[in-house]
Amino acid sequence: MLHELRDDGYELSSERERIDVPRVHRWLSTDAYWAMERPLEQMRAALDGSEVFGIYGRDGAQVAIARVVTDGAVFAYLCDVYVEPAHRARGLAGWLVGTLRDHYAARGLKRFLLVTRDAQAIYARHGFTEVQPGRWMECHLRTP
């Protein structure tokens, strides 16, 4: 269980039952380029298959999300990192990413990956570097 509290009252928690699924779905399916129009049931399945982390304001409302797909031993993939617009520019994304990096390092994992189109600077501050070209491959799966 991961639980952190900042001096300004924001709380980071891995308590799955606290995730506000309809709110997270609304954020990602309408405002996140990587998840536009993601169906609610697909969002639920993604959350169910991941370790999930939320940030909550003083009032207890969720203001950010991240999920990590991992084998728990060697590899973790950070995805769906999102901070509600009204709570941006407060260092929440950096706090979330840095806390998760340290959490998985303490568990002994060796590789922590992510994909981003526009937030390289945030992740670079927490030790992420570009993957060497020519080594990684991907296959975009399409439903027939």
Side-chain angles (χ1 to χ4, degrees):
M1 178 71 68
L2 181 62
H3 187 264
E4 300 279 334
L5 189 62
R6 283 195 347 179
D7 291 341
D8 58 4
Y10 284 104
E11 177 187 8
L12 190 158
S13 175
S14 64
E15 293 175 78
R16 181 176 292 279
E17 60 276 1
R18 291 185 68 186
I19 299 295
D20 185 339
V21 176
R23 175 176 249 176
V24 168
H25 175 255
R26 184 178 68 253
W27 289 339
L28 297 180
S29 68
T30 64
D31 191 41
Y33 69 84
W34 65 89
M36 295 299 285
E37 300 181 19
R38 181 183 290 170
L40 177 59
E41 288 312 309
Q42 188 178 49
M43 184 76 253
R44 286 185 198 281
L47 292 168
D48 287 346
S50 306
E51 294 183 9
V52 294
F53 304 87
I55 295 179
Y56 305 88
R58 287 186 187 272
D59 63 357
Q62 187 171 355
V63 301
I65 181 77
R67 65 185 186 90
V68 176
V69 180
T70 182
D71 61 13
V74 176
F75 173 87
Y77 175 72
L78 176 63
C79 50
D80 289 342
V81 177
Y82 185 90
V83 177
E84 189 174 53
H87 294 270
R88 291 180 184 164
R90 299 176 190 193
L92 295 177
W95 178 46
L96 180 58
V97 171
T99 301
L100 294 180
R101 178 207 55 217
D102 295 347
H103 173 71
Y104 287 101
R107 287 173 56 183
L109 278 72
K110 300 298 181 199
R111 178 161 282 144
F112 198 25
L113 295 172
L114 62 88
V115 174
T116 186
R117 183 173 75 189
D118 58 0
Q120 287 83 354
I122 291 171
Y123 297 110
R125 286 193 295 268
H126 297 283
F128 286 85
T129 58
E130 288 188 39
V131 174
Q132 184 179 25
R135 291 184 62 189
W136 290 87
M137 298 178 70
E138 68 179 332
C139 177
H140 290 274
L141 303 176
R142 304 285 185 239
T143 305

